[in-house]
Amino acid sequence: EVRLLESGGTLVQPGGSLRLSCAASGFAFSTYAMSWVRQAPGKGLEWVSATSGSGAKTFYADSVKGRFTISRDNSKNTLYVQMNSLRVEDTAVYYCAKDLAYGFDSWGQGTLVTVSS
Amino acid sequence: SYVLTQSPSVSVAPGQTARITCGGYNIGSKSVHWYQQRPGQAPVLVVHDNSDRPSGIPERFSGSNSGNTATLTITRVEAGDEADYYCQLWDGGSDHWVFGGGTKLTVL
């Protein structure tokens, strides 16, 4: 059974930094691309970032490019996103998802990031 | 970057057919995927590559894609189908995944 478990969400001040983690199990982690998707309170889904199975390729939404960095440790079956220069509008539930060419077939339950003073 | 447009809401009576649309320029040339998100839960992939269903998704869920509109069709709608539905595609021009704004399906 595929399991994705996000962690690291918390309250952080504007301008601050945070690293989220996503622990994966139940599949060959290193062979799959992974993505982060966020959902602001009461709003729709917004894709944030993706990385290839090896981590060599990374992609970012315009809204986070230059501030967020996606990475993975395939030896630990863990996906990360380092979030810097956080803004109030980054407040959201952050999901990690197993990223196939045909969509995201598995999602975690999400971790809440609140950016507020 | 590529924009996907969904109607904010659709209402349908139990047992009827719901059609949820997703508009985009020449979307018929792309592969569209659909997600169901029930309140308080993570999204679930219900249709991929325009019309294919993952295992475990009822046959009541189907998809089509042509011209400038992709459509998710849910037949014999049940109360449990009440959820938000999102379309998605990969925009190769920008190397971005793109989501539509979502449609709230209300079962009357």
Side-chain angles (χ1 to χ4, degrees):
Chain A
E1 179 192 3
V2 172
R3 298 195 71 172
L4 298 170
L5 182 62
E6 303 93 340
S7 62
T10 190
L11 172 65
V12 61
Q13 291 189 338
S17 298
L18 199 60
R19 188 179 82 159
L20 305 182
S21 301
C22 170
S25 61
F27 65 102
F29 181 71
S30 65
T31 65
Y32 288 94
M34 296 292 294
S35 272
W36 287 98
V37 178
R38 68 184 181 183
Q39 187 169 35
K43 302 298 185 182
L45 301 174
E46 179 189 15
W47 172 77
V48 171
S49 182
T51 181
S52 61
S54 67
K57 295 182 180 180
T58 58
F59 308 90
Y60 297 94
D62 294 346
S63 58
V64 306
K65 194 169 187 178
R67 300 188 299 123
F68 289 14
T69 302
I70 192 171
S71 63
R72 63 193 298 161
D73 185 337
N74 286 342
S75 69
K76 296 182 178 179
N77 287 354
T78 302
L79 175 72
Y80 304 99
V81 61
Q82 176 68 42
M83 305 185 295
N84 298 331
S85 302
L86 282 163
R87 306 168 179 168
V88 171
E89 54 265 36
D90 294 320
T91 294
V93 173
Y94 285 74
Y95 297 99
C96 64
K98 181 164 160 266
D99 180 346
L100 309 178
Y102 53 86
F104 302 165
D105 71 337
S106 300
W107 297 65
Q109 284 305 301
T111 187
L112 176 62
V113 174
T114 303
V115 184
S116 175
S117 55
Chain B
S1 58
Y2 198 86
V3 175
L4 293 173
T5 302
Q6 296 185 241
S7 298
S9 63
V10 167
S11 299
V12 64
Q16 299 303 302
T17 296
R19 293 179 179 84
I20 297 170
T21 60
C22 176
Y25 177 74
N26 199 26
I27 196 173
S29 67
K30 302 179 183 295
S31 286
V32 177
H33 320 300
W34 291 92
Y35 299 86
Q36 175 194 69
Q37 186 180 32
R38 295 189 173 106
Q41 297 187 18
V44 173
L45 181 67
V46 294
V47 166
H48 66 85
D49 291 310
N50 301 321
S51 58
D52 293 336
R53 277 186 316 278
S55 61
I57 301 301
E59 292 183 5
R60 301 186 298 105
F61 289 81
S62 63
S64 61
N65 187 13
S66 179
N68 292 319
T69 304
T71 302
L72 174 70
T73 301
I74 310 171
T75 58
R76 302 184 301 281
V77 166
E78 303 172 356
D81 298 331
E82 190 161 282
D84 294 324
Y85 291 85
Y86 296 89
C87 58
Q88 178 207 35
L89 55 73
W90 174 257
D91 177 26
S94 61
D95 282 342
H96 283 27
W97 282 105
V98 180
F99 284 100
T103 297
K104 181 177 180 57
L105 175 65
T106 299
V107 181
L108 301 170

